[in-house]
Amino acid sequence: WLLEPIRQPSFQIAVFGAGHVGAATVDLLAKLDCEVRWIDGRRNVFPERLPANVTPIESPEPAREATARSPSSFFLVMTLSHPLDLDICVQVLRRDDAAYCGVIGSVSKRRRFERLLKKQGVPEAAVQRLVCPIGVSGISSKKPTEIAIGVVAELLRAREESAVSYASQPFLKVSQ
């Protein structure tokens, strides 16, 4: 027997970066009902075997992959390069249809990104949607798996908030 899903999960996530935290995050996300696009610019960084809901993408220009994701996707940015993180955030925030854009970092990185995003012409409302640092508050561990748990918990909360927001929208009445 060959069983294939008849629907795609509505929880679509792009994870940029295949470092320790990215790998730990993807490992947790792979256990959820979601579709993960795992993107990195380096060659041969992904494990040989990945769960069916994880698609590795080796891209020489990872920031361009942000424009190829579906509307209402969730974006996690955790590369090894601050300039690349910024480029990806610019692409995501200019889309105006991302459900979530989070970047690993600190409060000082957030302030720097706010200034640089505005300098690159990203609207203030879009800049305010950026989540940095990512992860539920109160977890100060530097261990990749513990960081990943906080990040995935925050992503699940953002998904729930997004679903509630969508469900509270009034229905459109079509007039004839």
Side-chain angles (χ1 to χ4, degrees), residues 79-97:
T79 75
L80 301 175
S81 163
H82 287 267
L84 180 55
D85 286 353
L86 179 65
D87 290 344
I88 294 166
C89 288
V90 167
Q91 295 303 317
V92 172
L93 295 172
R94 282 188 177 154
R95 289 177 55 126
D96 199 35
D97 66 354

Side-chain angles (χ1 to χ4, degrees), residues 48-172:
E48 271 188 44
R49 291 180 174 250
L50 289 168
N53 65 334
V54 177
T55 303
I57 300 171
E58 286 182 3
S59 174
E61 297 182 52
R64 296 185 91 198
E65 295 297 324
T67 61
R69 304 289 50 95
S70 302
S72 300
S73 290
F74 293 74
F75 295 85
L76 291 173
V77 184
M78 46 184 69
T79 75
L80 301 175
S81 163
H82 287 267
L84 180 55
D85 286 353
L86 179 65
D87 290 344
I88 294 166
C89 288
V90 167
Q91 295 303 317
V92 172
L93 295 172
R94 282 188 177 154
R95 289 177 55 126
D96 199 35
D97 66 354
Y100 176 94
C101 180
V103 62
I104 197 164
S106 61
V107 173
S108 63
K109 182 176 182 179
R110 179 186 175 81
R111 287 186 191 121
R112 186 170 55 256
F113 271 38
E114 285 176 347
R115 183 175 38 79
L116 294 170
L117 288 165
K118 290 174 189 174
K119 190 174 182 180
Q120 291 198 30
V122 176
E124 176 67 28
V127 171
Q128 292 310 308
R129 289 195 317 267
L130 178 68
V131 178
C132 180
I134 54 176
V136 295
S137 61
I139 298 175
S140 60
S141 175
K142 300 298 182 201
K143 294 178 181 176
T145 301
E146 293 176 16
I147 294 169
I149 289 168
V151 169
V152 172
E154 181 175 87
L155 211 55
L156 290 170
R157 182 174 52 208
R159 181 191 66 183
E160 294 300 317
E161 290 170 357
S162 178
V164 167
S165 173
Y166 178 76
S168 69
Q169 297 293 320
F171 291 100
L172 296 177

